[in-house]
Amino acid sequence: MAEPALVPFDQRQGSIWYNGRIVDWRDARLHVMSHGLHYASCVFEGIRSYNGKVYKMGEHYQRFHESARLLDFTIPHSVAELEAATIELLAKNSLSDAYIRPVAWRGSEQMAIAADKTTIHVAIIVWDFGPYFGSRLQGIRLQLSRWRRPSAESAPCKSKAAGLYTICTLAKHEAQRAGFDDALMLDYRGLVAESTGSNIFLVIDGALHTPCPDCFLDGITRRKLIELAKQDGMQVFERAISLDDCDKAQEVFLTGTAAEVTLVRQIDDKSYTEKTITMRLAKLYDQEVRPQ
Ligand code: PMP
């Protein structure tokens, strides 16, 4: 059955925070001669609010600032200003369970590799958002990607930089075309890295194992999950993870702001049927983001 046509994002209704002002959704435009568009001088964040409370807003906006610094530019609004803008915007759009997308990019004063005289633009967009993977607790299927995460010498891999998502989109498209939900990406060494938009954990003999985040984002959800698992008495190993480890694992799951805790039920043709520990951690994470 054909999916219902979605309203394109630029034709939706609501309000957007744009360079310090709240504007009508459809007026939040930029010129085609924007450096961010041509040269990917652009960073962004992905944040969620639950029951009207923004989860880890300060940490996300600090990472936003750090992402820009790694791309050699400075966001011209403090973390506190961005936090206040987000609260105002959620109220203005009457949203309590939302996805929040801050984005910052270089403007149009220069159209060349060098761009240090460009103005930095910042927008915050909020929209209604449910689970990223509809079947997050039933389990998703990952395809091993041919695309690999670059080394820290080859890319600013600690930045949530738009350009780094080029290979994620390619990997995700290939996986989806082959009937999978997402891709599992190795790093430049051939070690397990992450999926296209979330971190990965393995459960091996009751302990958690997750790759060291030395060439990809050390996700805010990843760090929280490690903390929750340790508090729950589990052993957690951050270490080099190989595909052999994935074969040995009894359970696999992903973590991320959008993905939350998402069970993985298959990687290529290897199936995982266990899910007890993943369900337990997913519950702890749900209680963390939606405290009663
Ligand atoms: N890796 C990538 C490539 C991502 O896009 C994300 C989502 N920001 C993550 C990991 C998870 O990060 P977080 O838990 O901070 O959302």
Side-chain angles (χ1 to χ4, degrees):
M1 206 170 71
E3 283 187 30
L6 288 174
V7 181
F9 272 98
D10 61 348
Q11 287 164 37
R12 295 190 182 187
Q13 308 233 344
S15 301
I16 287 177
W17 187 91
Y18 197 177
N19 287 332
R21 290 191 309 123
I22 290 191
V23 302
D24 188 78
W25 187 282
R26 296 177 194 203
D27 295 336
R29 301 191 170 277
L30 67 155
H31 200 271
V32 289
M33 291 299 278
S34 296
H35 195 274
L37 175 65
H38 294 243
Y39 294 96
S41 49
C42 175
V43 297
F44 66 97
E45 261 307 318
I47 316 176
R48 269 187 193 262
S49 70
Y50 293 94
N51 293 337
K53 188 162 184 318
V54 185
Y55 185 65
K56 301 237 181 251
M57 181 156 58
E59 277 185 52
H60 279 281
Y61 278 123
Q62 272 149 23
R63 184 169 72 185
F64 190 45
H65 269 251
E66 179 62 7
S67 291
R69 192 188 68 74
L70 291 167
L71 289 207
D72 202 25
F73 68 84
T74 305
I75 292 182
H77 304 277
S78 67
V79 167
E81 281 166 359
L82 296 167
E83 287 180 332
T86 304
I87 303 293
E88 187 187 354
L89 195 61
L90 286 170
K92 179 97 184 151
N93 286 283
S94 307
L95 285 171
S96 61
D97 281 71
Y99 187 75
I100 301 157
R101 167 56 57 83
V103 58
W105 67 96
R106 288 188 184 276
S108 54
E109 291 82 358
Q110 287 169 289
M111 190 43 67
I113 308 263
D116 53 347
K117 295 181 184 58
T118 50
T119 305
I120 305 304
H121 298 267
V122 185
I124 306 171
I125 310 102
V126 296
W127 66 89
D128 194 29
F129 196 62
Y132 180 62
F133 292 107
S135 55
R136 78 178 179 98
L137 299 179
Q138 279 74 54
I140 61 160
R141 298 170 62 238
L142 300 182
Q143 182 191 46
L144 183 63
S145 178
R146 65 193 173 92
W147 294 99
R148 291 188 170 195
R149 311 293 311 180
S151 72
E153 290 79 36
S154 310
C157 52
K158 291 288 172 189
S159 173
K160 202 163 159 64
L164 289 172
Y165 284 85
T166 304
I167 53 172
C168 299
T169 298
L170 290 171
K172 181 118 183 172
H173 283 180
E174 280 185 4
Q176 288 185 329
R177 272 186 211 118
F180 291 83
D181 301 290
D182 203 348
L184 171 62
M185 300 177 84
L186 302 179
D187 71 12
Y188 63 101
R189 295 163 292 210
L191 295 169
V192 170
E194 57 172 357
S195 83
T196 60
S198 30
N199 294 117
I200 189 163
F201 285 83
L202 312 181
V203 178
I204 304 177
D205 301 332
L208 275 193
H209 298 254
T210 191
C212 304
D214 58 2
C215 64
F216 54 86
L217 281 186
D218 180 8
I220 292 169
T221 321
R222 175 189 182 279
R223 290 202 298 269
K224 188 72 218 179
L225 228 288
I226 290 175
E227 197 184 308
L228 290 171
K230 284 184 177 168
Q231 277 168 7
D232 199 43
M234 285 187 80
Q235 276 192 303
V236 183
F237 299 98
E238 295 184 66
R239 61 171 179 90
I241 304 274
S242 66
L243 281 172
D244 281 348
D245 291 310
C246 295
D247 279 342
K248 278 186 228 140
Q250 291 88 39
E251 299 182 34
V252 178
F253 63 89
L254 303 178
T255 63
T257 298
E260 302 173 294
V261 176
T262 291
L263 179 72
V264 173
R265 65 180 167 91
Q266 199 178 326
I267 300 176
D268 278 350
D269 51 14
K270 158 89 182 165
S271 293
Y272 301 92
T273 49
E274 286 292 313
K275 57 176 186 176
T276 317
I277 291 175
T278 306
M279 289 304 110
R280 171 155 188 81
L281 292 170
K283 191 166 167 215
L284 291 175
Y285 185 71
D286 287 348
Q287 286 165 351
E288 155 76 14
V289 296
R290 290 182 189 278
Q292 292 306 315

